[in-house]
Amino acid sequence: MTSLKPFFFCFYLILLLLNTGCKSNGKGEDITYKKRELPLRVGYTDIQYDDETFKVIYHGSATTTMDIAYDFALLRAANIATEHGYQYFSIRIITKDTEVLRTKADYGTFTYYFPRVELDMFLFHAKEGSLRPIYSSENEIKRLNFKYKLKLPK
């Protein structure tokens, strides 16, 4: 009887590749900006604590850099500000970490690293004095859409 390990490994690898999306910046880095839908690993989620306080989480793929994951979390923060009628936002807490996934097969062990960025943010109507940087939601949306050649919503 043949072992099913190679079959399951190939099946898992295909799921992993499908999960990462197919948009690339030419350097082999994944630049998929989308809402995370379980069971997929890649994309953003957000939590609203009150009218002006949110947490944004961006989960990158194995080919997403930490810088891209941070930019996409920032882009989601800017979109949240705009969606709720605010011109400005500030980031209170930034958490960056990496999820590690190891898989074993008969012919070796494979390790994948998935960046994850969390931003706790506050929304503002007017640019106020703050010890933290205050971002213009409109400027960040334009800057990051241009940087990653994303399509601006109409």
Side-chain angles (χ1 to χ4, degrees):
M1 176 151 176
T2 60
S3 171
L4 292 177
K5 285 182 183 179
F7 169 76
F8 284 117
F9 176 75
C10 289
F11 178 73
Y12 180 76
L13 191 58
I14 289 169
L15 282 178
L16 184 67
L17 292 173
L18 288 173
N19 195 14
T20 61
C22 57
K23 191 165 183 185
S24 173
N25 63 359
K27 300 176 191 172
E29 299 165 337
D30 182 17
I31 54 168
T32 301
Y33 177 76
K34 64 181 180 180
K35 184 173 182 167
R36 183 179 186 198
E37 296 176 6
L38 295 177
L40 299 180
R41 179 180 293 276
V42 178
Y44 63 79
T45 56
D46 47 74
I47 302 165
Q48 183 172 1
Y49 296 120
D50 60 40
D51 290 344
E52 298 175 341
T53 310
F54 292 79
K55 178 186 287 279
V56 174
I57 304 165
Y58 186 83
H59 297 267
S61 73
T63 59
T64 304
T65 65
M66 187 62 77
D67 288 339
I68 292 172
Y70 175 77
D71 281 350
F72 283 178
L74 200 61
L75 179 57
R76 180 60 189 147
N79 282 320
I80 288 172
T82 301
E83 289 167 9
H84 286 83
Y86 288 81
Q87 292 180 300
Y88 301 99
F89 66 96
S90 179
I91 306 300
R92 183 177 66 133
I93 299 172
I94 301 170
T95 305
K96 297 179 180 180
D97 63 12
T98 303
E99 297 174 42
V100 179
L101 175 66
R102 288 191 175 90
T103 60
K104 290 186 178 185
D106 292 340
Y107 40 86
T109 301
F110 300 91
T111 305
Y112 302 95
Y113 301 93
F114 300 91
R116 183 173 177 270
V117 175
E118 290 185 18
L119 305 177
D120 284 352
M121 62 178 283
F122 297 101
L123 306 178
F124 300 99
H125 283 295
K127 209 169 191 178
E128 302 167 1
S130 173
L131 297 176
R132 296 179 187 89
I134 295 177
Y135 299 90
S136 162
S137 55
E138 181 180 346
N139 289 347
E140 287 303 302
I141 290 170
K142 286 179 182 176
R143 180 182 74 83
L144 293 169
N145 276 296
F146 179 77
K147 181 177 181 179
Y148 294 105
K149 298 175 178 59
L150 303 172
K151 293 180 182 174
L152 284 166
K154 294 183 180 186

